[in-house]
Amino acid sequence: MVGIAFIEKMLTLDEAKQYRLVTCGEESHLAYNRVALTDYFQHRSVEKLYLNQVEWYAQQDPERFLFHTGERATSLDTVAHSVTTSKGRKISYDYCILATGSESTLPQYVSPVRAERARGIFVYRNISDLDKILSYSEQEHVKGGQAVIVGGGLIGLEAAKAVFDLETISEVVIINRRVFPLSRQLDDEGGEIVLRRIEAMGVRVLTRTSVKDIITSDGVLTGLTLSDDQYLKAEMVIHAIGITPRDDLARQAGLKCVEKGGIVVNDLLQTSAQDVYAIGECASWKGNTYGLIAPGVEMADILSFNFTQVKTGLGSFKPRVMNMPDLSTKLKLMGVDVASFGDYFADKRSARGVLTSKVAVAEPLTRNKAENAIDAKPTAWQISPSETNRSSRVKEGEVAINTVTTEMKRGSHQTALDGPIECLTYRDPFSCVYKKYIFTADGKYLLGGMMVGDTSDYVKLVSLVKKKKELEEPPSKFIIGSGSKGPDDGADLDDDTQICSCHNVSKGAISESVKAGVTTMSDLKAKTKIGAGCGGCVPLATNIFKAEMKKTGHAVSNHLCPHFSMARQELFSVVKIRKLKTFPEIMEAAGVKKDSLGCEICKPAIGSILSSLYNELVLAPVHHANQDTNDKYLANIQRNGTFSVVPRVAGGEITPDKLIVLGQVANKYKLYTKITGGQRIDLFGAHKQDLPDIWEELVAAGFESGHAYGKALRTVKSCVGTSWCRYGIGDSVGMAIHLEERYKGIRSPHKFKGGVSGCVRECAEAQSKDFGLIATDKGWNIFLAGNGGSNPRHATLFAKDVPPSKVVHILDRFLMYYIHTADKLMRTARWVEQFDGGIERLKKILLDDELGICADLEREMSELIGSYADEWKAVVNDPARRRQFRQFVNTDERRPQTEVITERGQERPADWPKRLPPTKLGESAFVAPKSEWEWRKLATVHDLMPTDDATTSAAVKYGDSQLAIFHIPRRGYFATQQMCPHKRAFVLDHGIIGDDLDGNIYVSCKCHVLSAFCPLHKRNFRLTDGKCLNDEDFSIIPFDVKQEGDDLLVLLPDSDNLDAVIGTSKWMVKQASAELTSRGGREGIEIAGVGVGLSESGSACSGGQSSCSGGNASLDW
């Protein structure tokens, strides 16, 4: 079993196809499950025990795997590097792995010769043994006779159950020299429960006795002589008293072996011969051999990993070493469920409250010490002495139960584990159930335990012991159970609990809104302004809203928005299956109204879907209008209307030359610089018109877009790992760079980040990321769905000890399935929390391939990755696209948007006031009536680059004022002021153009209300009259536009009148004014001739240079 486990792992991990595997098996059968030998008595078919069916072997490439059955290795020449078989075959090798297993031990009174000659003496080890037992039981002198099992351990009880079920055997007797059976797994109380169950079946158990000799007549077994000289009749005896490692081949070859049996191996599983390794029951590590399957498979894991994963294209990884194995077991014996886990005999080694023998923490030997111990030579992989851990504290011959492989500081955790203990015991003789759990004296840590009759919690308890995690529940709950926690719907929150801190919206306000008739989240936002600030409250608010809707009997819609009566994941499937590639095509195929423009919700969502499927350039005209401001300009908009630039620095690794370039660019363009939490350098304050020039210099230096602006991969953070750190196990930098380079540019429902830590010290904070890797001595632990915005979530361990070459497969599936099924703007944390079946269901889908989609997900990700192109470079190399970044299309003049101040040696924008009064602007604010306004040419049709498939926009300058002009296909041109009155930001031309489903009286029945979506603070202003559709405290001024030939003319008052109302210098945020307002200055502050807070019918100041601030120029913005 261990041999085939090694072969399977090698075939899986050796993606580079470096090795050809040749194996010889002594038995005529293919590899089968020895643990299930007892089942063979029922079905008598060895094929049902095969670990891999015949077809699997036929499918293997003979250039990679060649197998010989019924052929035993008879000699090993470690000098010539060759093996000779029983059929005379000579096989040369580069590396030889011995997995010769073990054989059943016979007692001293039964010599091998006597066992061979006497009929009726058996062992219980392989198919051949079972066939002999079955055949012998059919003989006439055996039928109706008594079978005796010598040994009351695991194998003894398995053998007893097997012959008990034979119709030809009338009685079964078990001889056990201990008081109770299973003395290596259970204490006396547990053993007594098992004994009662066995005896209740009609099996006799003789305890505190042993066999002195066998009695035969004419070479046929007739009985046994016991240690007290009593005679026990027996037609058949099966010895199950232990196993002996098969090391004869190794001994003949001169390999170092233990006197009592076993091939000596070091921590790397090397034998004393160069290029020869031993795994499984034949291997003796630190003087111990292991008869359980789990330690053998662990050895196969280690060796296959070291052959294939230490040096890969993803960087180096520290070789795995052998550590004290977990000896936990869970079996069904004689119809009884039995399990033991952790340090299940800790209480027997110490008095209650005084621990005299502590749980061993086994650290691996250094390679030097391991090699010196057996005089081994270098292996196939290379590892320097400085990369290894300290020598082991576990002495040779000492068995440490449930050890861990990570070094722990001597803190309160370790002190608790080493200190006094307490036991919690449950015994139900009526149901034959026994449980004993061993805890630290403070009840915070579970150390081990045993179970009889009810082993349902075995997996959970083993996990708790292995992780050595502080318990979240009192020990009693492990016996009596505990209630489950419901979803996070705020049920335990009081009504006055603040949910939205930006707008001080309480839970009670949500409840009252639902009771008042609000039935959609968008209506709730409009009514309460919840989520209209930072948006961090939206997940909890949504859950509360859904819970309140359910209480009132309303159905909660998961539709994307009013334009699409389906969820985001349903729309994703429609777009994918029907191969739709543009927003108009999608609206035509799936929209509520076929000619709708869409809105600020569905446009970015569909833009993300299209990018996730086809990854076409977001600056393409048909896609540009779907993007939020950040994606539209490939940079993060800041509060003063400038942008931040974050070049990609994969894995956080950067050369001095590139650092110098960043400094030079920052100095040249006067950019504020800051190192981000994701190990990147952020350059703030870039003007829109400078972005292409900045990118050009960065691209020339080898940088690419870092996609800090998109709902995409942001960063993969790393520690230095094996590159520099003395504790490093995995090449975290190499892995992080590989992952970031792989997933760069991939759009998803929300942004996602990664982290890679080279050891359990977790310096990269991988467990707070959407995906995180932590190196262990066995591979990478993969954590998923961490980081949840304002409601952070610790990442969940998804897969353990994943070989480096397999990491990408799992992450490909996870990310692509997330892209397929998550709702709009849903972080991975919320997605997993709300996923039906949770993380366990995801494991079945993405690890076990329960839906059969894993190959498709990997293929789709591969195709998506192959379509990558650097978006910054695409702009730099295209003059037409560079024109899209002009501040004004009608002049090269530059106009600052906010006063700049100096702080700590760097420039930044002046502070926003903590609060600003409402601002409603309208035509009545102008002194000159509209009849005196004139048509003024401000742009050309070419400046707006109109298309039939998407909206476009541009900013123009007239005098000191800024205007935004919009083109809407089939609806014409519109114009408004450029400034959003909410925060005095000149950004409206950046916004998304959309419509709603309500009719508008100013146009035909097919026309709709058109709105500009402020990209900074989520307010919609109707283009026809300037009304804010989701906040009645604000409005903007619209202007008429007409086209004459190639020219676009806007109806405006003269520049002095216009500047007096919406002039840039009048509305510019200045530090002095902000400080005055924040200190509680005049509530009715009047700005630039406009009565702030006045309605259209209110009075307005005169134009020109006059001030409406009572003559105090310091109050002018």
Side-chain angles (χ1 to χ4, degrees):
M1 291 178 67
V2 173
I4 192 63
F6 173 76
I7 291 168
E8 291 171 347
K9 294 174 190 302
M10 284 292 293
L11 292 174
T12 301
L13 296 178
D14 183 23
E15 295 185 344
K17 299 183 179 180
Q18 303 177 73
Y19 302 101
R20 183 177 190 237
L21 307 174
V22 181
T23 182
C24 294
E26 181 179 17
E27 294 186 71
S28 59
H29 309 292
L30 298 174
Y32 57 87
N33 184 1
R34 295 180 187 273
V35 179
L37 275 179
T38 303
D39 295 341
Y40 182 73
F41 278 76
Q42 304 299 322
H43 52 65
R44 314 290 173 93
S45 171
V46 67
E47 288 78 11
K48 292 183 178 180
L49 297 181
Y50 280 170
L51 295 169
N52 293 296
Q53 294 304 308
V54 177
E55 294 77 11
W56 181 84
Y57 291 88
Q59 292 167 1
Q60 302 307 312
D61 182 356
E63 293 301 316
R64 296 194 65 200
F65 175 41
L66 192 62
F67 58 96
H68 305 287
T69 58
E71 189 168 355
R72 182 170 58 91
T74 56
S75 67
L76 167 64
D77 188 336
T78 60
V79 176
H81 275 51
S82 66
V83 173
T84 303
T85 74
S86 56
K87 294 184 178 181
R89 192 191 312 271
K90 192 170 185 177
I91 304 172
S92 298
Y93 67 82
D94 293 302
Y95 306 102
C96 178
I97 291 83
L98 300 175
T100 50
S102 62
E103 57 190 1
S104 293
T105 302
L106 288 172
Q108 292 182 353
Y109 56 82
V110 180
S111 66
V113 175
R114 192 178 186 189
E116 183 70 25
R117 292 177 178 176
R119 297 168 59 195
I121 301 175
F122 303 96
V123 293
Y124 196 86
R125 190 65 187 158
N126 54 38
I127 293 293
S128 176
D129 296 331
L130 270 61
D131 283 338
K132 292 176 182 177
I133 293 172
L134 289 169
S135 176
Y136 193 75
S137 69
E138 296 292 335
Q139 296 188 17
E140 289 301 323
H141 74 280
V142 178
K143 289 182 179 180
Q146 180 169 273
V148 177
I149 312 299
V150 181
L154 297 175
I155 298 177
L157 296 192
E158 285 280 345
K161 180 63 167 64
V163 294
F164 177 79
D165 291 335
L166 292 178
E167 295 181 358
T168 56
I169 300 298
S170 61
E171 294 184 40
V172 176
V173 179
I174 298 175
I175 297 177
N176 188 42
R177 63 179 180 175
R178 302 282 185 177
V179 180
F180 300 107
L182 299 177
S183 56
R184 292 190 177 184
Q185 286 76 35
L186 300 174
D187 59 13
D188 288 352
E189 290 82 357
E192 182 187 10
I193 294 288
V194 174
L195 178 60
R196 288 188 179 189
R197 288 290 302 272
I198 294 174
E199 290 178 334
M201 295 173 62
V203 175
R204 189 154 55 109
V205 181
L206 304 180
T207 61
R208 296 182 179 180
T209 188
S210 59
V211 178
K212 181 186 293 187
D213 201 356
I214 60 172
I215 300 173
T216 62
S217 175
D218 295 328
V220 177
L221 178 73
T222 58
L224 306 172
T225 302
L226 303 183
S227 57
D228 58 1
D229 292 328
Q230 288 190 30
Y231 171 76
L232 179 65
K233 179 178 178 292
E235 278 69 37
M236 176 190 299
V237 62
I238 300 175
H239 291 97
I241 61 174
I243 58 175
T244 302
R246 293 188 63 181
D247 58 10
D248 50 329
L249 181 66
R251 288 181 185 274
Q252 293 173 12
L255 273 63
K256 185 176 180 180
C257 297
V258 178
E259 183 178 353
K260 65 180 181 180
I263 307 167
V264 175
V265 296
N266 64 7
D267 286 357
L268 299 172
L269 303 176
Q270 298 168 300
T271 69
S272 57
Q274 183 178 357
D275 300 328
V276 179
Y277 302 80
I279 57 177
E281 295 170 341
C282 68
S284 175
W285 176 73
K286 295 185 184 298
N288 296 308
T289 56
Y290 301 96
L292 298 173
I293 183 61
V297 173
E298 172 73 2
M299 293 178 182
D301 273 334
I302 292 170
L303 198 56
S304 60
F305 181 96
N306 290 344
F307 273 121
T308 61
Q309 304 298 310
V310 169
K311 293 292 183 182
T312 67
L314 302 179
S316 63
F317 202 95
K318 190 173 182 178
R320 287 179 55 183
V321 293
M322 184 67 182
N323 290 285
M324 295 302 292
D326 178 20
L327 301 181
S328 301
T329 56
K330 176 177 177 290
L331 295 168
K332 194 177 188 72
L333 301 167
M334 299 294 290
V336 184
D337 290 308
V338 177
S340 58
F341 61 92
D343 193 355
Y344 45 87
F345 281 145
D347 60 324
K348 300 301 180 183
R349 298 195 312 274
S350 61
R352 190 65 55 83
V354 180
L355 185 65
T356 59
S357 179
K358 56 191 176 185
V359 177
V361 180
E363 297 178 358
L365 287 169
T366 62
R367 172 172 173 145
N368 283 348
K369 290 184 178 181
E371 290 181 349
N372 290 339
I374 58 171
D375 300 322
K377 295 181 180 180
T379 60
W381 53 90
Q382 296 299 318
I383 163 178
S384 65
S386 62
E387 293 175 327
T388 57
N389 290 342
R390 300 175 180 85
S391 63
S392 172
R393 301 187 183 97
V394 181
K395 298 178 181 179
E396 186 172 358
E398 180 178 271
V399 179
I401 308 298
N402 192 49
T403 60
V404 295
T405 60
T406 57
E407 183 184 69
M408 297 182 186
K409 294 184 179 179
R410 304 293 299 183
S412 58
H413 181 162
Q414 190 62 35
T415 300
L417 296 178
D418 291 348
I421 63 170
E422 290 291 349
C423 296
L424 185 63
T425 304
Y426 173 80
R427 181 175 180 273
D428 179 2
F430 306 103
S431 301
C432 291
V433 172
Y434 174 75
K435 299 180 182 181
K436 181 179 74 175
Y437 302 147
I438 305 172
F439 301 87
T440 54
D442 57 9
K444 292 183 178 180
Y445 298 96
L446 177 65
L447 301 178
M450 55 189 66
M451 296 175 276
V452 177
D454 177 11
T455 59
S456 57
D457 292 332
Y458 173 79
V459 174
K460 178 179 71 175
L461 298 181
V462 170
S463 177
L464 287 174
V465 172
K466 286 184 176 180
K467 292 179 180 178
K468 297 194 177 294
K469 183 180 180 182
E470 186 171 337
L471 304 178
E472 298 177 354
E473 297 177 330
S476 60
K477 292 293 181 69
F478 290 88
I479 296 294
I480 64 176
S482 61
S484 59
K485 186 177 183 293
D488 185 13
D489 59 1
D492 57 344
L493 302 178
D494 296 329
D495 282 347
D496 60 356
T497 302
Q498 185 186 68
I499 305 301
C500 175
S501 58
C502 294
H503 294 284
N504 192 27
V505 182
S506 66
K507 175 188 173 184
I510 300 175
S511 177
E512 291 302 318
S513 297
V514 172
K515 292 176 182 177
V518 171
T519 58
T520 66
M521 271 301 293
S522 58
D523 289 342
L524 181 66
K525 290 179 181 179
K527 180 177 178 63
T528 65
K529 296 191 172 114
I530 195 166
C534 68
C537 62
V538 171
L540 178 57
T542 301
N543 287 345
I544 294 174
F545 171 71
K546 290 179 178 179
E548 294 298 325
M549 288 285 287
K550 187 175 182 179
K551 288 180 185 177
T552 57
H554 291 292
V556 180
S557 172
N558 65 346
H559 293 172
L560 181 66
C561 72
H563 296 94
F564 293 93
S565 56
M566 62 183 70
R568 184 257 178 200
Q569 50 268 49
E570 294 169 333
L571 184 59
F572 185 98
S573 297
V574 170
V575 175
K576 178 184 176 183
I577 292 171
R578 301 186 64 175
K579 295 182 173 58
L580 306 175
K581 291 195 171 184
T582 67
F583 186 92
E585 289 179 357
I586 296 171
M587 184 64 76
E588 174 72 23
V592 173
K593 289 191 175 181
K594 309 306 180 185
D595 60 346
S596 293
L597 294 175
C599 64
E600 72 279 5
I601 297 174
C602 63
K603 276 192 165 184
I606 289 175
S608 173
I609 290 173
L610 291 173
S611 292
S612 297
L613 287 172
Y614 311 115
N615 208 18
E616 296 177 352
L617 187 65
V618 296
L619 288 179
V622 73
H623 302 313
H624 199 224
N626 303 330
Q627 312 305 320
D628 280 322
T629 301
N630 290 353
D631 280 293
K632 186 174 289 186
Y633 295 107
L634 309 181
N636 285 43
I637 191 169
Q638 303 302 317
R639 59 184 176 82
N640 66 337
T642 63
F643 293 82
S644 67
V645 174
V646 186
R648 186 166 302 286
V649 181
E653 183 181 73
I654 189 169
T655 64
D657 288 340
K658 284 190 173 183
L659 281 172
I660 291 172
V661 170
L662 293 177
Q664 292 172 337
V665 169
N667 277 327
K668 180 176 180 179
Y669 295 94
K670 298 182 178 180
L671 305 178
Y672 174 103
T673 58
K674 186 180 184 302
I675 297 175
T676 73
Q679 300 176 334
R680 306 297 181 265
I681 297 177
D682 208 338
L683 309 176
F684 291 86
H687 295 281
K688 183 173 72 172
Q689 59 271 28
D690 289 333
L691 288 175
D693 295 333
I694 292 172
W695 297 337
E696 186 171 15
E697 296 190 36
L698 294 177
V699 169
F703 287 104
E704 293 181 317
S705 166
H707 291 91
Y709 47 83
K711 298 295 186 285
L713 174 71
R714 296 295 177 85
T715 64
V716 181
K717 188 176 181 179
S718 73
C719 65
V720 294
T722 54
S723 299
W724 287 95
C725 182
R726 66 186 187 278
Y727 299 114
I729 295 175
D731 183 4
S732 52
V733 178
M735 178 63 80
I737 291 173
H738 177 78
L739 295 177
E740 189 160 343
E741 291 291 340
R742 181 173 182 80
Y743 300 126
K744 63 184 179 183
I746 291 177
R747 285 343 197 260
S748 58
H750 210 297
K751 65 184 178 184
F752 63 99
K753 303 175 183 178
V756 184
S757 288
C759 72
V760 294
R761 286 169 177 79
E762 243 285 68
C763 296
E765 302 166 336
Q767 294 177 83
S768 66
K769 302 295 187 287
D770 297 275
F771 66 84
L773 307 181
I774 300 178
T776 71
D777 64 337
K778 299 179 182 179
W780 294 100
N781 282 353
I782 298 180
F783 293 82
L784 297 181
N787 198 357
S790 65
N791 183 19
R793 180 184 189 274
H794 199 277
T796 299
L797 178 60
F798 189 73
K800 292 180 63 177
D801 305 327
V802 178
S805 62
K806 298 300 180 184
V807 167
V808 167
H809 298 289
I810 295 175
L811 293 184
D812 279 359
R813 299 170 187 178
F814 168 71
L815 293 174
M816 188 53 69
Y817 197 55
Y818 163 63
I819 290 171
H820 274 239
T821 62
D823 203 356
K824 62 182 184 297
L825 299 179
M826 178 178 280
R827 296 295 296 269
T828 59
R830 304 288 83 79
W831 173 62
V832 168
E833 289 172 353
Q834 298 183 25
F835 190 83
D836 187 17
I839 198 74
E840 294 304 319
R841 176 63 177 158
L842 279 176
K843 288 180 181 179
K844 292 180 180 179
I845 294 172
L846 303 181
L847 297 181
D848 301 336
D849 200 13
E850 190 174 80
L851 301 182
I853 61 173
C854 287
D856 293 328
L857 295 175
E858 291 182 34
R859 175 183 51 77
E860 290 176 21
M861 180 59 78
S862 180
E863 292 172 354
L864 193 57
I865 290 166
S867 64
Y868 170 78
D870 180 25
E871 294 170 337
W872 285 358
K873 189 174 183 180
V875 173
V876 168
N877 295 336
D878 190 333
R881 289 184 176 131
R882 294 182 78 131
R883 291 179 64 248
Q884 295 177 250
F885 289 81
R886 294 173 294 172
Q887 183 178 13
F888 307 113
V889 297
N890 63 334
T891 178
D892 291 331
E893 289 184 57
R894 292 172 175 243
R895 194 68 178 88
Q897 315 281 17
T898 302
E899 181 186 21
V900 175
I901 64 172
T902 300
E903 184 176 68
R904 295 185 294 276
Q906 295 200 85
E907 293 184 350
R908 70 166 182 85
D911 294 324
W912 266 337
K914 293 181 180 178
R915 53 189 174 85
L916 283 171
T919 304
K920 299 182 73 172
L921 302 177
E923 290 180 10
S924 61
F926 296 105
V927 173
K930 190 171 184 178
S931 60
E932 297 179 6
W933 297 7
E934 298 181 7
W935 290 100
R936 306 179 192 276
K937 176 188 173 183
L938 294 183
T940 65
V941 171
H942 181 64
D943 288 329
L944 266 78
M945 296 184 287
T947 72
D948 293 334
D949 295 324
T951 60
T952 59
S953 58
V956 296
K957 182 176 180 293
Y958 179 63
D960 190 39
S961 298
Q962 301 182 42
L963 305 176
I965 301 178
F966 308 92
H967 175 260
I968 292 90
R970 297 172 297 280
R971 292 164 174 81
Y973 292 91
F974 298 81
T976 69
Q977 66 189 59
Q978 169 74 331
M979 181 197 69
C980 172
H982 178 239
K983 285 291 187 179
R984 322 304 196 233
F986 297 82
V987 294
L988 287 187
D989 75 310
H990 301 170
I992 290 176
I993 309 302
D995 60 7
D996 60 28
L997 302 181
D998 294 331
N1000 192 301
I1001 62 174
Y1002 299 113
V1003 291
S1004 68
C1005 64
K1006 290 188 178 181
C1007 291
H1008 303 86
V1009 179
L1010 304 176
S1011 60
F1013 178 64
C1014 171
L1016 279 177
H1017 295 100
K1018 306 178 179 71
R1019 280 167 174 76
N1020 296 353
F1021 297 99
R1022 190 157 51 197
L1023 295 181
T1024 53
D1025 60 9
K1027 178 182 178 181
C1028 184
L1029 299 177
N1030 54 2
D1031 195 333
E1032 61 184 13
D1033 291 334
F1034 297 93
S1035 64
I1036 61 174
I1037 304 174
F1039 299 96
D1040 297 336
V1041 185
K1042 70 177 182 180
Q1043 177 181 350
E1044 289 187 355
D1046 191 43
D1047 296 329
L1048 296 177
L1049 290 75
V1050 182
L1051 187 62
L1052 298 169
D1054 62 65
S1055 59
D1056 288 342
N1057 271 279
L1058 188 66
D1059 293 344
V1061 178
I1062 60 172
T1064 304
S1065 59
K1066 299 296 182 180
W1067 290 92
M1068 180 187 294
V1069 174
K1070 298 180 180 178
Q1071 187 69 13
S1073 301
E1075 290 175 355
L1076 177 63
T1077 303
S1078 297
R1079 287 198 303 266
R1082 295 170 55 186
E1083 292 287 337
I1085 185 170
E1086 296 177 348
I1087 302 176
V1090 180
V1092 178
L1094 298 179
S1095 64
E1096 290 188 49
S1097 59
S1099 60
C1101 295
S1102 60
Q1105 301 299 316
S1106 63
S1107 172
C1108 291
S1109 56
N1112 186 350
S1114 67
L1115 298 185
D1116 287 347
W1117 288 67

